[in-house]
Amino acid sequence: MSVHTLVEYAKVYEGSDAEKAIIELFPAALDFLSIMPFKPAPGGKYGYYREGKLPENMGFRAINEEPTASHGVVNEFTEQCFPIAGNLDVDRALIQRHGERRRAMEEEMQVKAKAKLWGDTWRAGDSATNPREFTGMNKRLQIVGGDVSASNYESRVIANNQASGGGPMSLMMLDLAIGHTENPNAIIMPKKLKTRFAAANRDTNIGGFVTNDLEDGQRVMRYDSLPIYTGYGISPFGEFLPFDEVAFGGGAASTASVYVISFGEMGVCGLETAGMQVTDIGLTEAGVHYRTNIEHDVGMCIESPYAATRLTSITDAALIK
């Protein structure tokens, strides 16, 4: 099994058309799954290495002088997979009354529930407190040395505003977060912030490198050529990135974060023991429900230490320079 996105996987899935259609719904329900690749993790585990420290022996030498010996530091990491699964039961009487469309509607709702769980775990999962889930971005992206200024390239967290209560998102700080990320190809932010880019682009005092291109029949907003994603947006079950975080400087829990991401095999990548499986079990033994099972044994990793940056302490307000 090769590295693939869910969009690519759905095209080669060997199940029925109905099962394939369910897989295709996931990137629509959680938009950045359209670009996030998954790589194999045989046995539910995946090991990889990161550069810890470069050798210090490089230097000029005199004639007949031996070079200094040294070695680098390589850190080893191991990630695990965690199965996300659910059985969806639909009463046969409902299908008889309303047709197969009622079952399809229930399956779409199941997809939305799984996408919400996946997205929330991607953001705030912590296997140390809940051993059934993988660890998400907020735990993986750490402040180094207590420094959240843009001058600290080691820190994976930058404070948009270090005052109590945070402040409006500064496009300059977003530019710095982009500059702190190696080969970025996505920005993930609250949907409310995304809608503010149009107003900022109309303001000649703010401006910004914002485009809104038509691709495959859909509008794709980009900032500095990077597509903007909003997860599962605003829905009856909440918002993917709500303004419920305490700012770096303290205050009420009324700020949010923006993530600059390099999705890729050597960047932010999903893990799986096998591709997502959708199984139409049919009528259960009791003869009351038609059942559909969805199973995906998944995890995630960040192979490059600079593949993601989190910009915190952002309030729900008009953008500034």
Side-chain angles (χ1 to χ4, degrees):
M1 183 173 57
S2 61
V3 178
H4 59 258
T5 64
L6 287 181
V7 175
E8 295 166 339
Y9 176 67
K11 294 177 180 178
V12 298
Y13 187 70
E14 296 181 353
S16 68
D17 289 342
E19 293 168 352
K20 181 181 295 188
I22 291 176
I23 295 175
E24 291 174 339
L25 287 172
F26 281 97
L30 188 66
D31 57 7
F32 62 83
L33 283 181
S34 64
I35 189 175
M36 183 174 182
F38 285 81
K39 64 174 64 176
K45 291 187 178 182
Y46 178 76
Y48 61 102
Y49 302 93
R50 278 188 191 168
E51 294 179 355
K53 184 179 179 182
L54 295 177
E56 299 176 350
N57 62 324
M58 287 293 100
F60 296 97
R61 68 173 182 85
I63 300 299
N64 296 324
E65 181 181 39
E66 291 188 4
T68 303
S70 181
H71 60 84
V73 176
V74 175
N75 297 320
E76 183 176 359
F77 294 84
T78 301
E79 304 284 357
Q80 288 186 284
C81 289
F82 303 81
I84 298 178
N87 288 329
L88 173 63
D89 289 353
V90 182
D91 194 302
R92 65 187 300 180
L94 292 176
I95 298 176
Q96 290 170 350
R97 292 177 184 179
H98 306 291
E100 283 294 325
R101 175 57 192 156
R102 176 55 186 266
R103 186 180 183 185
M105 182 178 179
E106 296 275 0
E107 289 171 342
E108 289 175 14
M109 293 169 63
Q110 178 86 327
V111 167
K112 290 180 179 179
K114 181 180 181 295
K116 179 182 186 300
L117 175 62
W118 214 107
D120 291 344
T121 307
W122 183 91
R123 173 204 177 201
D126 185 358
S127 60
T129 58
N130 183 356
R132 290 186 175 90
E133 67 183 19
F134 59 85
T135 297
M137 300 299 291
N138 287 2
K139 286 292 182 180
R140 292 171 182 269
L141 303 181
Q142 297 295 319
I143 298 173
V144 177
D147 185 358
V148 292
S149 70
S151 62
N152 183 6
Y153 278 86
E154 294 300 316
S155 182
R156 295 293 86 210
V157 179
I158 298 175
N160 170 71
N161 188 311
Q162 297 191 34
S164 176
M169 185 169 73
S170 162
L171 295 182
M172 181 187 73
M173 296 304 293
L174 179 58
D175 291 340
L176 291 170
I178 293 172
H180 277 235
T181 308
E182 188 175 37
N183 300 319
N185 56 10
I187 302 173
I188 301 176
M189 65 175 60
K191 189 172 184 178
K192 291 179 181 178
L193 279 183
K194 181 180 178 180
T195 60
R196 293 188 179 277
F197 271 86
N201 209 34
R202 291 192 297 267
D203 188 339
T204 57
N205 293 319
I206 300 176
F209 304 104
V210 180
T211 60
N212 200 12
D213 305 317
L214 186 64
E215 293 183 6
D216 298 327
Q218 295 184 335
R219 288 289 177 184
V220 178
M221 181 178 286
R222 287 182 169 85
Y223 177 77
D224 197 15
S225 78
L226 300 178
I228 297 174
Y229 298 92
T230 58
Y232 53 77
I234 301 173
S235 69
F237 45 70
E239 188 177 2
F240 173 52
L241 296 175
F243 290 83
D244 63 354
E245 300 175 354
V246 176
F248 177 77
S254 58
T255 68
S257 293
V258 168
Y259 302 82
V260 181
I261 304 293
S262 174
F263 284 117
E265 187 174 352
M266 299 306 296
V268 178
C269 188
L271 305 172
E272 60 184 11
T273 57
M276 184 187 301
Q277 299 297 309
V278 179
T279 306
D280 183 354
I281 296 175
L283 196 63
T284 59
E285 186 176 352
V288 177
H289 297 99
Y290 282 92
R291 176 169 293 173
T292 304
N293 173 267
I294 300 176
E295 177 104 10
H296 201 192
D297 194 10
V298 296
M300 68 171 290
C301 67
I302 306 178
E303 292 221 15
S304 167
Y306 304 110
T309 304
R310 179 185 175 194
L311 184 64
T312 70
S313 309
I314 302 170
T315 57
D316 183 13
L319 308 184
I320 61 176
K321 287 185 178 180

